[in-house]
């Protein structure tokens, strides 16, 4: 599903050049539940942004869904994001003047789905999240967990192949965090690839594979024991 | 157009800071309001001047007798002479550019007393000799009956046309004056028409009594003489050249020194008309410039606000782009907002401007000597103004929209 080869990325701020990603090689298969871990500044968010076509890489090969991603127009990137990817953000990123249903339906608006059809579908997805009664509430009337579930419904409505979650539990308490993670696992079990960026160990350990990032390189990849999440095997990187 | 989501976006964005939106809108509204009002008033000025000029031939000139200032052919200077009816024939025959020529002869008005009587009614009116040709130079509108014709001139008929004021004073309201008689300066005249002067030039007023100038010459013992005449040039011919030719012929006929230009008074009306029209065109142009300037100020305000709005909504636009909004859609949405704001505000400015112009029209309607007559907003001007607004609305939105999509989605998402 995702294949990265020697991905480099630098940011230029004034005269300084900040080398954030220093050659990432990674392969994520379809249907995997992967987490990207690392301390702040390790480049995990940059990696997710590149994976999500929100940013472009400087060097290397990125293949998404068997298609090489090179410099492409924003219009095409927007189309790919809309069709292939779903985003879940730490700060939920709901549109404040649209109610829950309209927020969920928004990606379908960009696919020119009729208003009635997309709103019906949005309510259906909200129902799956247990938020049917909240469909007509504005984001500021929802709790953090509810907001994130609305955001997940919005990410799901286009039936994407990949869900990209950037610190999805970062703004939630632990109980709600587990709820959200259960939801993401459920989604993964339906066959969708889920990639979660987090700095929390226990969140990362709920995923199948942990990619540890440090200073722009992959430090290690941990395959979690699927039977027992608490025990994990550390596989050293082959040079 | 009637995409509900689009409208929801527009209203949500504009409602976020209502006061700011209203103030920005006011800028545009006043712009268009001032433009429309100025143009309406300009039209009113023009109407006023045009109505007082009436249909007076604009390519015309007026000649009158003066005393000679140079001795010539044994004749002394300071000599008095008069134009004759034969002069008219000679000028007509020899000047192909001459279109119409008509003597303007005044009869006696009664001074402080009355000069016109009918039964127990009496009045003091302006008496003028006229001709069908005069009607081509300084026209009147025939309300009923007919105007003086060539036969009246040839046969020295004792017939008159009367102005509205004459009819009002000398007749009852329900009386038909045509065919009736008036005693003017002791002589009975048959009324053949009721006319209304179309301009106030050459002393044409509503209190006018006109008779064939030949009749007037005969009855007043003027012989075939007169002091003043009007002439028009044919379409496309120069009035100044016409004046030169008339002068040349008259000078020869009356033994006036060829260089004694002061001996024959003349006045190029066409020149004055052109000056007046030029003036009004300049004023009109000035009004356009001022109105447009104010409008542009308003539009710049909109562009400014759109910049701020786009900046404020950077994150929101980032979210939308992350979930699949294409750049064209983002740009379109910002332009939509800008066009909506300018057009909406501009529309009310237009409506208010029309109302103000109407009120000015109402206020000046009854006044006897209005400076502004029938001001109105040209429907074309209104459409042009709206078109300009939409165009500027697009322009005002375009720059901020370009800015909005220049930012990478990832930066937009991070924007706080």
């Amino acid at each position: 599903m995702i294949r990265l080869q020697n991905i480099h990325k630098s940011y230029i701020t004034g005269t300084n050049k900040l080398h954030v990603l220093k050659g990432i090689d990674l392969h994520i298969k379809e249907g995997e539940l992967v987490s990207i871990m690392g301390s702040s500044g390790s480049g995990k968010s940059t990696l997710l942004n590149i994976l999500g076509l929100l940013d472009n890489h400087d060097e290397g090969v990125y293949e998404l869904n068997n298609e090489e991603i090179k410099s492409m127009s924003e219009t095409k990137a927007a189309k790919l994001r809309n069709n292939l990817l779903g985003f879940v953000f730490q700060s939920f990123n709901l549109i404040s003047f649209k109610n829950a249903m309209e927020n969920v339906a928004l990606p379908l608006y960009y696919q020119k789905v009729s208003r009635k059809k997309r709103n019906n579908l949005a309510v259906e997805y909200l129902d799956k999240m247990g938020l049917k009664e909240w469909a007509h509430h504005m984001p500021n009337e929802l709790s953090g967990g509810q907001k994130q579930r609305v955001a997940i419904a919005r990410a799901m409505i286009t039936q994407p192949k990949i869900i990209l979650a950037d610190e999805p539990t970062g703004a939630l308490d632990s109980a709600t965090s587990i709820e959200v993670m259960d939801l993401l696992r459920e989604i993964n079990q339906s066959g969708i690839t889920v990639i979660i960026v987090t700095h929390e160990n226990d969140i990362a350990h709920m995923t199948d594979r942990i990619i540890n990032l440090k200073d722009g390189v992959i430090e290690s990849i941990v395959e979690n024991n699927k039977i027992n999440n608490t025990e994990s095997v550390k596989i050293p990187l082959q040079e | 157009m009637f995409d509900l989501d689009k409208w929801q976006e527009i209203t949500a964005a504009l409602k976020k800071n209502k006061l700011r939106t209203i103030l920005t809108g006011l800028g545009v509204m006043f712009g268009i309001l001032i433009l429309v009002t100025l143009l309406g008033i300009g039209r009113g000025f023009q109407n006023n001047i045009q109505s007082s000029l009436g249909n007076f031939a604009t390519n015309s000139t007026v000649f009158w007798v003066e005393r000679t200032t140079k001795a010539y052919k044994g004749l002394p200077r300071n000599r008095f002479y008069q134009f004759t009816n034969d002069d008219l024939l000679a000028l007509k025959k020899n000047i192909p550019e001459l279109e119409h020529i008509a003597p303007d002869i005044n009869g006696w008005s009664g001074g402080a007393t009355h000069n016109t009587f009918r039964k127990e009614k009496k009045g003091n009116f302006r008496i003028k000799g006229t001709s069908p040709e005069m009607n081509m130079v300084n026209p009147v509108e025939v309300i009923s009956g007919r105007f003086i014709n060539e036969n009246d001139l040839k046969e020295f008929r004792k017939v008159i046309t009367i102005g509205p004021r004459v009819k009002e004073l000398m007749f009852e309201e329900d009386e038909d004056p045509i065919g009736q008689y008036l005693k003017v300066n002791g002589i009975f005249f048959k009324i053949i028409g009721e006319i209304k002067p179309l301009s106030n030039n050459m002393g044409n007023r509503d209190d006018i009594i006109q008779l064939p100038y030949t009749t007037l010459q005969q009855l007043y013992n003027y012989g075939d003489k007169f002091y003043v005449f009007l002439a028009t040039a044919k379409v496309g011919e120069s009035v100044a050249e016409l004046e030169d030719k008339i002068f040349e012929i008259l000078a020869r006929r009356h033994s006036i020194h060829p260089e004694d230009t002061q001996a024959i008074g003349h006045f190029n009306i066409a020149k004055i008309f052109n000056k007046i029209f030029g003036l009004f065109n300049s004023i009109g142009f000035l009004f356009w410039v001022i109105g447009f300037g104010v409008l542009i100020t308003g539009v710049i305000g909109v562009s400014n606000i759109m910049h701020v709005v786009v900046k404020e909504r950077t994150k929101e636009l980032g979210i939308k782009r992350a979930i699949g909004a294409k750049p064209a859609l983002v740009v379109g949405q910002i332009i939509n907002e800008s066009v909506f704001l300018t057009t909406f505000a501009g529309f009310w400015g237009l409506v208010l401007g029309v109302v103000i112009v109407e009120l000015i029209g109402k206020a000046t309607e009854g006044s006897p000597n209005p400076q502004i007559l029938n001001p109105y907003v040209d429907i074309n001007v209104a459409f042009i103004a709206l078109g300009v607004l939409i165009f500027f609305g697009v322009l005002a939105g375009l720059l901020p929209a370009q800015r909005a999509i220049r930012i990478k989605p990832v930066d937009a998402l991070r924007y706080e």
Side-chain angles (χ1 to χ4, degrees), chain A residues 10-18:
Chain A
S10 330
Y11 290 110
I12 296 161
T13 47
T15 53
N16 296 328
K17 193 175 170 193
L18 190 65

Side-chain angles (χ1 to χ4, degrees), chain B residues 383-397:
Chain B
F383 277 123
I384 289 171
L386 268 180
V388 164
L389 271 176
I390 292 171
F391 175 73
F392 278 143
V394 170
L395 219 59

